[in-house]
Amino acid sequence: MSGSELPKLARVAHAGHCNRCLSALPSSHIQIDASRLAIGFYCFGTLDLLGSIYEKTKEIEREGWREWLWHQQTNRPYGTDPEEYSEYDTPHLIMTYTAILSLAILRDDFEQLDRNGIVRFLQACQREDGSFTSFPNGGESDLRQVYCAFAISSMLDDWSGVDVDRAVSFIQQCSSHEGGYGQQPTGEALGGTTYCALASLYLAPSVSDLHAPNPHVTTDERRRTIRWLLQNQASSGGFSGRTNKDADACYCFWCGASLHILGVGDLVDRTAFLSYLASCQFKFGGIGKAPEDRPDPYHTYLSLAALALFPLEDADPSWKLPRLNALWNTTEDTADWIRQHVPLYTVKAQSPVRK
Amino acid sequence: MPDIAGDGPEEQPLFSERPDWTDVTPVPQYEGYNPIAPIFYTPQYKDATDYFRGIVKTNEKSERVLELTEAIIRLNPAHYSAWQYRYHTLLAIKAPLDAELKLMDSLAVQFLKTYQVWHHRRLILTAIYSPPPSNASGLNDPTATTSSSAKSKPSPESQAAARTELAFITRVLMVDAKNYHTWSYRQWLLAFFDDVHLWEGELGFVERLLEEDVRNNSAWHHRFFVVFGRGQLQGEEDRVAVLKRELSYTKDQIALAPNNASAWNYLRGILERTGTSFSNLRSFVEPYTKTHEDRLGDEEILDLENPAPSAEAELPCVAALEFLADIYEKDAVSKSVEIWKRLANELDTMRKKYWEYRIKEALKDVPVQS
């Protein structure tokens, strides 16, 4: 099947799915109560990729969301000092990452960002072995948190909260015999944590550009990782997250973006890739993990992000998406906004800022 | 006290309706005028979490807090604050931790895919078998095996407990043989106790699982961990014998089902890990690179060291061809190129660009023939 034979990307329907989730979720979703900031990010990210933030949402709504997000920043009344957190307003590392991205998508000026507090928070979360817990003195710790700590530090352009060498050593220990990276040092190679490992290693301050060999990845490791990643592209065109498991739309991003970061994105069979994701579109909007599956914002966003990384020349214009920054996992426009507003000291903007 | 075990959540009185909770001031959740993805909370969840915020504010650590946090985690097993607070409460009131473990057993299968269930279990095991330092709140790393493992003195009690835990994990794996959290927990448990008696049962365990599904990659991965990632090497010191055994086992599994990426990844993994050249396996691999027709011409030698593909096997095997091409790459690169071309154009077209990339990369270092 060539690119021109593919169905269209149902942009309006997918934006609708995410808008609905932003407005309300049913009681069956109580189990994601602790991840609302992540759900928000997947919804905002979807609208950002579809270019429909300004069309589909009103300024008063965006103002309300920004206000709600700032209320999740723990600086009242306990402050961002780790000694002063109470048990229910401790900040969460992964949610901090998604909150910053969401605020950037909503074009916040970040005047309220407690940069020093966040740096102290990162310090409090890092363990002896270099990994990070989700919150100070508790919670699980694995490559997801390492990635978030690196992404946050990179966005702040301030690495004083992270012992980079120790973190890199932890990441390297997660490399499995198959070539992918597990969740923690004994873990089975997994697509999501492979992305977290590679994005972190390429975000690390000693690395200046994506095209030069990375000092933290040996030639052999790189070869094994590329081999494992590509082995995960199933006959349906989609990617699985582990060897001998079924394809899942979200791994199209985790594995696809990993290949992109390693500079070999061109090796993915793009037509098959697109055709798999096209078939995961749910008829009433949103994208699910596999054809016929119910959609959710997570799979919707990650599918679109994957598609943004692998544009197909002869596909219908509905599939045209903006360029994605694979390391931060947001559009390049939003990444520009971050560069201009998140660090304490910013270089004068290279291109005009969109209001 | 109301009987939680008997009634369903709908029949339970809310905490706000209970006389034994009137001293607590519930704290509602702030939502602002345009909350992000607000969830239509059930009255039970709203009530329980309002009361949770109330007791957190007063820093209450008591028996009734255990009841409250259990109610919350049954409704939302991912409520990490409730889990964390519950753990601190258990320690503060010196609650019997083995009872906690039994409660976790009943929740585990229902909440298999939740990080927090397993993390809590890890914390409880660590607390039972290597108590944390007195300032529990300052603990940055309660489950690190380096600083607080039980391996210094494996008492009969902790050995028995470890075996019980392993049996529990085995039962959970029967429900979902590839659950990531479950396998990670098993690996943590083995490293934590680092007891030779526990390690030695693992190969048999993996083999049983692979008998059921030879493509269970989690089982193959676990095997790698057990062979190369274990602490105590007792009984496994002869690494030459270990490698021989692993090669023999893997070759048998490949013979059974040649088109199994897990087995080939394992094979490559053990060779790379031990610095063994791939060319050592050339005689084993070659029959798998041919079609059945091509093989008809070969002599039928029964070689136990190199089990051949069965008549039902789908040949040629892509992974075997890849392996052979990797062998040739060192000193016969033109043969590798031939294989890669076949894979690209005929046998593994999904990865056409990858095989072409392999050709390009391999020829980069070869002087161009004029």
Side-chain angles (χ1 to χ4, degrees):
Chain A
M1 185 191 269
S2 78
S4 47
E5 290 166 352
L6 287 167
K8 288 190 191 319
L9 177 65
R11 302 172 76 105
V12 172
H14 300 325
H17 168 75
C18 286
N19 248 329
R20 285 192 293 279
C21 292
L22 277 172
S23 318
L25 291 170
S27 54
S28 54
H29 282 60
I30 279 176
Q31 301 201 3
I32 51 159
D33 192 25
S35 315
R36 281 168 61 190
L37 272 83
I39 306 293
F41 162 61
Y42 301 132
C43 293
F44 296 131
T46 296
L47 295 173
D48 197 18
L49 278 169
L50 294 173
S52 49
I53 283 261
Y54 295 98
E55 282 168 42
K56 299 286 180 189
T57 66
K58 308 193 204 34
E59 176 52 31
I60 184 126
E61 282 177 304
R62 295 193 294 276
E63 209 178 283
W65 289 325
R66 289 193 297 261
E67 198 238 41
W68 187 88
L69 280 165
W70 285 119
H71 210 90
Q72 308 310 318
Q73 181 173 246
T74 311
N75 56 8
R76 39 182 180 268
Y78 293 97
T80 41
D81 184 338
E83 296 305 308
E84 294 208 34
Y85 298 137
S86 82
E87 293 275 359
Y88 73 88
D89 63 3
T90 44
H92 190 286
L93 190 41
I94 300 177
M95 301 309 145
T96 301
Y97 160 75
T98 58
I100 295 176
L101 283 176
S102 297
L103 285 161
I105 292 170
L106 295 170
R107 299 298 185 260
D108 190 278
D109 59 18
F110 286 95
E111 296 280 300
Q112 298 178 66
L113 188 65
D114 181 358
R115 295 169 176 86
N116 288 332
I118 291 176
V119 166
R120 285 201 308 277
F121 165 63
L122 293 180
Q123 257 169 349
C125 290
Q126 190 165 21
R127 293 177 11 154
E128 282 275 318
D129 65 1
S131 68
F132 290 79
T133 45
S134 291
F135 38 92
N137 304 331
E140 65 275 9
S141 68
D142 54 60
L143 277 180
R144 299 171 300 148
Q145 287 84 357
V146 173
Y147 166 70
C148 292
F150 272 48
I152 292 168
S153 300
S154 163
M155 292 191 271
L156 285 174
D157 197 16
D158 179 351
W159 289 84
S160 55
V162 173
D163 181 332
V164 176
D165 287 340
R166 256 197 236 179
V168 166
S169 151
F170 176 80
I171 296 171
Q172 288 167 331
Q173 285 174 65
C174 294
S175 171
S176 99
H177 71 274
E178 293 191 275
Y181 292 76
Q183 207 163 274
Q184 71 286 322
T186 61
E188 187 185 354
L190 179 60
T193 44
T194 299
Y195 168 82
C196 291
L198 293 169
S200 300
L201 294 176
Y202 278 83
L203 279 170
S206 47
V207 179
S208 51
D209 93 82
L210 263 186
H211 305 289
N214 189 303
H216 307 304
V217 180
T218 67
T219 317
D220 274 349
E221 280 167 346
R222 183 169 178 273
R223 177 185 52 82
R224 270 202 299 273
T225 307
I226 291 172
R227 175 187 178 272
W228 177 78
L229 285 165
L230 286 167
Q231 190 178 69
N232 285 341
Q233 188 169 23
S235 53
S236 60
F239 276 81
S240 62
R242 293 186 262 167
T243 307
N244 275 330
K245 288 212 84 183
D246 292 332
D248 176 331
C250 71
Y251 290 111
C252 291
F253 177 76
W254 301 125
C255 293
S258 296
L259 286 161
H260 174 93
I261 290 170
L262 288 172
V264 291
D266 282 342
L267 303 184
V268 170
D269 182 329
R270 243 170 240 220
T271 309
F273 187 81
L274 207 99
S275 114
Y276 178 77
L277 290 172
S279 70
C280 291
Q281 297 185 94
F282 190 69
K283 60 186 167 205
F284 301 120
I287 302 179
K289 82 170 191 209
E292 311 296 306
D293 276 16
R294 305 222 63 141
D296 56 58
Y298 169 80
H299 286 95
T300 303
Y301 172 70
L302 290 175
S303 299
L304 293 172
L307 290 163
L309 283 177
F310 296 99
L312 197 59
E313 288 296 302
D314 58 343
D316 181 271
S318 65
W319 292 95
K320 185 145 170 52
L321 294 168
R323 279 177 52 229
L324 191 91
N325 180 306
L327 296 176
W328 285 344
N329 192 6
T330 191
T331 60
E332 274 298 349
D333 278 353
T334 298
D336 267 343
W337 184 269
I338 290 171
R339 282 181 208 107
Q340 288 152 32
H341 295 90
V342 174
L344 188 57
Y345 302 108
T346 57
V347 175
K348 196 167 145 75
Q350 303 288 335
S351 50
V353 169
R354 189 182 70 171
K355 246 318 172 179
Chain B
M1 286 289 247
D3 172 21
I4 289 230
D7 303 321
E10 306 77 39
E11 294 93 65
Q12 286 296 307
L14 300 176
F15 290 93
S16 61
E17 294 165 342
R18 287 169 54 170
D20 51 335
W21 283 85
T22 50
D23 59 309
V24 175
T25 311
V27 175
Q29 178 168 280
Y30 172 81
E31 285 291 23
Y33 73 90
N34 198 29
I36 289 176
I39 298 170
F40 201 67
Y41 297 134
T42 58
Q44 289 78 19
Y45 186 74
K46 184 177 180 319
D47 170 73
T49 50
D50 284 351
Y51 274 82
F52 177 66
R53 283 181 281 270
I55 55 98
V56 165
K57 210 170 180 99
T58 59
N59 200 23
E60 179 179 333
K61 300 263 173 28
S62 65
E63 191 70 43
R64 68 178 177 175
V65 163
L66 293 183
E67 190 195 330
L68 175 60
T69 51
E70 184 181 334
I72 294 174
I73 62 191
R74 280 181 184 276
L75 293 168
N76 176 10
H79 197 302
Y80 57 84
S81 311
W83 281 106
Q84 180 82 345
Y85 201 83
R86 181 181 181 85
Y87 172 64
H88 288 148
T89 300
L90 288 165
L91 295 183
I93 68 174
K94 299 191 179 4
L97 295 178
D98 46 1
E100 180 69 3
L101 220 45
K102 287 223 156 43
L103 175 65
M104 290 303 113
D105 287 359
S106 64
L107 292 179
V109 172
Q110 211 181 334
F111 302 133
L112 262 188
K113 296 200 182 207
T114 313
Y115 286 96
Q116 287 76 23
V117 161
W118 296 100
H119 182 71
H120 187 74
R121 204 178 178 94
R122 222 175 285 220
L123 290 175
I124 301 301
L125 254 294
T126 309
I128 296 174
Y129 295 102
S130 59
S134 52
N135 60 326
S137 61
L139 203 65
N140 206 28
D141 193 357
T143 61
T145 50
T146 43
S147 54
S148 60
S149 89
K151 69 174 179 232
S152 44
K153 282 190 180 68
S155 64
E157 295 86 33
S158 68
Q159 255 191 33
R163 259 195 284 272
T164 308
E165 274 302 281
L166 279 181
F168 168 74
I169 301 305
T170 303
R171 282 198 304 281
V172 175
L173 285 172
M174 294 298 119
V175 173
D176 179 358
K178 296 187 182 185
N179 185 284
Y180 200 95
H181 300 304
T182 315
W183 281 107
S184 295
Y185 183 77
R186 192 178 185 101
Q187 284 138 18
W188 172 81
L189 195 74
L190 288 162
F192 178 73
F193 286 99
D194 200 13
D195 180 340
V196 66
H197 302 292
L198 300 179
W199 288 113
E200 65 192 15
E202 288 306 281
L203 286 184
F205 172 66
V206 164
E207 276 161 42
R208 277 197 309 279
L209 282 172
L210 290 178
E211 262 166 53
E212 279 169 37
D213 177 8
V214 73
R215 291 185 172 80
N216 184 336
N217 198 65
S218 306
W220 280 103
H221 176 85
H222 191 71
R223 191 180 179 102
F224 197 94
F225 168 72
V226 166
V227 174
F228 294 101
R230 67 163 64 187
Q232 289 275 10
L233 278 181
Q234 204 174 315
E236 295 270 300
E237 294 94 337
D238 185 351
R239 302 311 285 171
V240 171
V242 165
L243 178 61
K244 199 160 179 242
R245 177 193 71 206
E246 292 308 304
L247 285 174
S248 168
Y249 178 76
T250 311
K251 285 191 248 180
D252 284 343
Q253 303 315 305
I254 289 176
L256 236 118
N259 291 292
N260 176 7
S262 299
W264 287 97
N265 289 357
Y266 187 80
L267 180 66
R268 299 170 69 101
I270 61 182
L271 294 172
E272 281 166 345
R273 176 63 176 254
T274 55
T276 310
S277 171
F278 278 25
S279 52
N280 287 22
L281 270 84
R282 183 147 156 194
S283 353
F284 166 69
V285 167
E286 271 177 332
Y288 293 86
T289 64
K290 305 178 180 177
T291 59
H292 287 290
E293 292 73 42
D294 287 342
R295 288 192 59 229
L296 285 175
D298 295 346
E299 265 189 62
E300 283 292 329
I301 306 171
L302 179 63
D303 181 353
L304 290 173
E305 284 227 356
N306 293 309
S310 67
E312 299 80 40
E314 218 180 283
L315 297 181
C317 170
V318 166
L321 281 163
E322 175 187 27
F323 195 97
L324 193 59
D326 286 342
I327 294 175
Y328 287 141
E329 194 177 3
K330 288 184 187 46
D331 50 16
V333 74
S334 57
K335 289 192 178 157
S336 306
V337 171
E338 246 178 74
I339 293 177
W340 289 327
K341 280 191 174 144
R342 237 182 115 200
L343 291 171
N345 299 320
E346 188 194 324
L347 297 170
D348 191 22
T349 54
M350 174 71 67
R351 271 158 284 280
K352 181 178 168 72
K353 297 208 182 104
Y354 174 64
W355 301 120
E356 288 169 353
Y357 163 82
R358 294 298 305 274
I359 294 172
K360 209 174 84 174
E361 292 287 299
L363 295 180
K364 249 196 234 173
D365 308 313
V366 174
V368 176
Q369 308 259 333
S370 53

